[in-house]
Amino acid sequence: MACKAADPAAPGAASPDPLLQQFLHYLQFERAYSKQTLSTYQQQLQAVWLSIPAADWLQLSERQLQQHILGCRDSLKPKSLALRLAALRSFYRYLQQIGLRPDQPAQYLKVPKTSKPLPKNLDVDEMARLLDIDEPDDDLAVRDAAMLELFYSSGLRLDELVSANLRDIDWSERQIRVQGKGNKTRILPIGSLAQKALQQWLQRRPAFLGEEQDALFLSKQKRRISARHVRQRVDLWARRQGLSQHVHPHMLRHSFASHMLESSGDLRAVQELLGHANLSTTQVYTHLDFQHLAKVYDAAHPRAKKAKD
């Protein structure tokens, strides 16, 4: 069974199918759907109509619709399949509502599961090249070096780095307190090279001070640095340091996790450091105290094994 892709060539054009035209009229005038949604539903449903030989909306079975969805898994992206499924469910719900179908054949259709690609990470050599920023006369370079080191040193999320404050760092214990997803607090180690980079940044930070007195990282506009700005700076340094791939903040976090796991083999400790534990995994990790995590960190992290300066 051929799978037709949605054709956006003529959005908004009247559908030749009277049932589909009636459905779109209902969505527009009774449900007040946007023009974009109307166009998307029309395109998806017309693609179904053209894909199934001798299609009849009132006769199509759940099996035929599921075969169509399965036949589209290689030619359509998961997002497009999900849109097609949403359009079919809405359409058949309408047909059932007005009494033209006694059932809802699209109700239990499933989009074929696709394996999610593993997040990309940098290897240790690539990470070392990225972090090899030696521009002591450039205040922004000093700040960016501190951000990159902290990302990789502690496996921070982008939001965690942006929202970090000066008071979150305990210099004597070499730790940073972060507020993660679900407002959960984690205490994370800071490697010696990240400490050095942070201290160098703090010497330049007064020149960036404005109304934001607490933010750890500030922009040249004297405000707390934004997530968008951080993404731009990470990508900038990846290109300047000669890396061949696009680098984003989450790649640094994933690299942290991958390198720690490769070195330590301690999945539970790494998962605790990342703050990934849900309710069930949290119970598994309750016996892991911070001293254990710190030992795993000091023994395994590539930037923590280097001598303190």
Side-chain angles (χ1 to χ4, degrees), residues 45-275:
L45 291 171
Q46 285 184 167
V48 174
W49 183 263
L50 294 172
S51 298
I52 303 177
D56 182 341
W57 294 122
L58 302 183
Q59 299 298 325
L60 283 176
S61 66
E62 179 179 344
R63 182 181 178 185
Q64 285 176 295
L65 292 173
Q66 186 64 65
Q67 286 177 336
H68 168 72
I69 295 295
L70 290 172
C72 290
R73 63 185 172 185
D74 293 330
S75 54
L76 296 183
K77 294 180 180 179
K79 184 178 180 180
S80 297
L81 270 177
L83 283 174
R84 185 158 299 186
L85 200 53
L88 282 168
R89 284 174 176 161
S90 183
F91 182 44
Y92 273 106
R93 196 160 46 241
Y94 168 73
L95 293 182
Q96 186 181 36
Q97 179 182 319
I98 63 175
L100 292 181
R101 287 281 309 222
D103 57 349
Q104 224 285 42
Q107 184 174 359
Y108 300 109
L109 297 182
K110 295 181 180 179
V111 175
K113 291 184 178 180
T114 56
S115 57
K116 293 183 178 180
L118 292 175
K120 294 181 180 179
N121 65 279
L122 302 174
D123 62 33
V124 173
D125 290 338
E126 289 172 325
M127 184 59 68
R129 190 193 317 167
L130 176 63
L131 297 178
D132 186 22
I133 299 173
D134 186 19
E135 298 188 19
D137 296 328
D138 184 340
D139 290 347
L140 292 178
V142 172
R143 180 203 63 189
D144 295 347
M147 290 195 306
L148 293 172
E149 285 282 5
L150 187 58
F151 262 133
Y152 181 54
S153 166
S154 304
L156 300 188
R157 297 181 176 95
L158 175 56
D159 288 344
E160 293 169 349
L161 180 126
V162 168
S163 61
N165 293 316
L166 279 175
R167 63 176 179 272
D168 295 328
I169 297 180
D170 183 337
W171 294 103
S172 62
E173 296 295 330
R174 299 191 301 132
Q175 299 171 5
I176 183 170
R177 181 179 64 250
V178 298
Q179 196 83 7
K181 290 185 177 179
N183 291 323
K184 293 180 180 178
T185 300
R186 303 199 312 288
I187 307 294
L188 299 171
I190 303 175
S192 58
L193 293 177
Q195 283 187 82
K196 179 180 178 181
L198 284 167
Q199 288 164 354
Q200 290 172 342
W201 155 241
L202 292 183
Q203 293 174 12
R204 317 297 178 92
R205 183 177 173 275
F208 292 76
L209 279 175
E211 294 182 3
E212 284 277 3
Q213 296 290 317
D214 296 330
L216 178 58
F217 294 110
L218 298 162
S219 70
K220 61 182 179 181
Q221 286 77 30
K222 300 186 176 182
R223 294 191 294 265
R224 182 184 295 272
I225 198 166
S226 68
R228 180 182 179 184
H229 193 182
V230 174
R231 283 192 288 266
Q232 291 172 343
R233 298 301 289 185
V234 170
D235 180 56
L236 170 69
W237 282 109
R239 287 185 279 110
R240 287 180 65 173
Q241 300 296 85
L243 297 182
S244 59
Q245 58 183 308
H246 169 65
V247 178
H248 50 82
H250 189 71
M251 190 180 290
L252 306 186
R253 175 173 159 85
H254 183 63
S255 300
F256 160 86
S258 299
H259 300 167
M260 287 287 292
L261 188 57
E262 287 169 6
S263 299
S264 70
D266 195 330
L267 178 62
R268 292 180 297 174
V270 172
Q271 199 160 3
E272 181 88 350
L273 288 165
L274 289 172

